């Protein structure tokens, strides 16, 4: 599993790089270079924010279709790939949705209540879902670049 490799269903760890979004905003450029590193840089974390978040990867058609349906919550997040849009029909809780481009850069963020249909984002290649409020507590914002480390199998 990787940015250029084949994605597979399973577990992974999302390394949050809060400085990546800030660097992109202050420099006016992209922080794509940070997406290729290891999670060691984010291991220290910052006060009040987790350094790493557990992620369920849903890459198969069946896993993407099932998504978070029928659950009462999620520990961490779920990455749908490939995906450009989501819905919350038959969901039991509100979710935060981050639309990611091919380099795992956040291009849009929104919170969706149950029973809603989100508009697809043309440049989005992946969608990250978490319980409502989680992404704000992680410090995730538009321009942040995420790093994904697959769990050992």
């Amino acid at each position: 599993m990787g940015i250029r490799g084949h994605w597979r269903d399973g577990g992974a760890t999302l390394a949050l790089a809060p400085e990546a979004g800030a660097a992109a905003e202050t420099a006016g450029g992209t922080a794509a270079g940070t997406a290729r590193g290891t999670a060691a840089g984010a291991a220290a974390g910052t006060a009040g924010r987790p350094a790493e978040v557990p992620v369920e990867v849903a890459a198969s058609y069946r896993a993407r279709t099932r998504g978070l349906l029928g659950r009462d919550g999620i520990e961490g997040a779920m990455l749908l790939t490939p995906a450009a849009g989501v819905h919350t029909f038959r969901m039991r809780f509100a979710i935060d949705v981050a639309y990611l481009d091919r380099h795992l850069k956040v291009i849009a963020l929104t919170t969706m209540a149950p029973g809603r249909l989100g508009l697809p984002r043309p440049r989005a290649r992946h969608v990250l879902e978490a319980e409502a409020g989680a992404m704000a507590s992680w410090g995730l914002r538009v321009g942040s670049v995420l790093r994904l480390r697959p769990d050992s199998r």
Side-chain angles (χ1 to χ4, degrees):
M1 172 178 60
I3 294 176
R4 291 190 171 91
H6 294 285
W7 292 87
R8 294 191 176 110
D9 293 344
T13 302
L14 179 70
L16 303 174
E19 70 282 355
E25 289 174 6
T26 58
T30 64
T34 60
R36 293 178 187 92
T38 64
T46 58
R49 293 185 198 155
E52 297 180 339
V53 175
V55 175
E56 294 177 42
V57 177
S60 68
Y61 176 77
R62 184 176 189 166
R64 287 191 318 268
T65 302
R66 184 177 54 244
L68 296 175
L69 298 177
R71 296 187 189 195
D72 291 323
I74 183 170
E75 182 67 31
M78 177 173 276
L79 179 73
L80 306 172
T81 182
V86 295
H87 68 82
T88 57
F89 298 123
R90 296 186 357 228
M91 289 192 65
R92 298 177 182 166
F93 58 98
I95 60 171
D96 283 343
V97 179
Y99 296 92
L100 312 173
D101 69 6
R102 70 180 74 219
H103 301 292
L104 300 180
K105 180 179 176 182
V106 178
I107 58 175
L109 284 168
T110 188
T111 300
M112 295 177 63
R116 304 288 183 202
L117 176 64
L119 295 174
R121 307 289 173 153
R123 289 186 9 223
R125 298 294 180 267
H126 316 282
V127 174
L128 186 69
E129 299 177 337
E131 286 192 38
M135 291 183 188
S137 70
W138 301 337
L140 200 64
R141 61 182 174 256
V142 173
S144 297
V145 178
L146 308 179
R147 292 178 285 177
L148 210 60
R149 184 181 66 230
D151 291 346
S152 59
R153 296 176 191 212

